[in-house]
Amino acid sequence: YDKQFGDSVQPQNRPELHCGSKDEAVYILHGFIGTPEEMSRISNSLKRAGYTVLSDIIPGHGAGADAANAFKETYWQSFVTQNVGLLRSVYQKIHFVGFSTGALLIHNYLFENRTNFSARSVVLY
């Protein structure tokens, strides 16, 4: 969640971390020019099922095209790496759900970390 544009993101579109009762986490990432809100049905179902859910936001999204265009793909990749790393520091079992650009970023993360990490499950659409 980027400090530069964070104040212009509507509250319902901000990233959310929900701590669940299970010893498993789910990393969810939306599509291009989208926000975590577009993934809320999936997120809410997983929260009700007891999972820890990080419904993340791609930097620059949720604040308009000018904000989204201020970031490069490599920044998005580093952002995903950092936030998945935070989940990995706590959880051994991590599931992934990604849509569109979010799916590509998750796929990139899993490919780049294929020798030192295995996802519990992956849904990309």
Side-chain angles (χ1 to χ4, degrees):
Y1 180 51
D2 189 79
K3 294 175 184 163
Q4 183 178 0
F5 296 103
D7 291 339
S8 61
V9 176
Q10 298 293 319
Q12 70 271 17
N13 293 331
R14 291 184 178 159
E16 178 186 19
L17 175 63
H18 168 83
C19 295
S21 58
K22 291 186 177 192
D23 192 26
E24 299 181 42
V26 183
Y27 183 79
I28 300 176
L29 197 57
H30 61 86
F32 187 68
I33 306 298
T35 66
E37 177 62 23
E38 73 183 16
M39 306 297 278
S40 64
R41 293 181 105 187
I42 295 168
S43 175
N44 290 335
S45 293
L46 292 164
K47 287 188 262 184
R48 283 191 299 274
Y51 290 93
T52 291
V53 177
L54 173 53
S55 188
D56 216 349
I57 190 167
I58 299 170
H61 287 64
D66 289 341
N69 289 334
F71 296 91
K72 301 283 186 207
E73 171 187 337
T74 53
Y75 186 89
W76 294 344
Q77 291 168 337
S78 296
F79 181 84
V80 169
T81 297
Q82 175 185 329
N83 288 352
V84 173
L86 293 172
L87 285 178
R88 286 180 63 184
S89 72
V90 179
Y91 297 93
Q92 289 187 9
K93 297 177 184 175
I94 303 174
H95 306 266
F96 292 85
V97 179
F99 172 65
S100 184
T101 301
L104 290 171
L105 290 165
I106 288 171
H107 180 270
N108 180 76
Y109 175 84
L110 295 173
F111 181 78
E112 292 295 325
N113 291 278
R114 66 191 178 279
T115 60
N116 64 5
F117 176 73
S118 292
R120 184 72 171 153
S121 68
V122 180
V123 177
L124 305 175
Y125 60 104

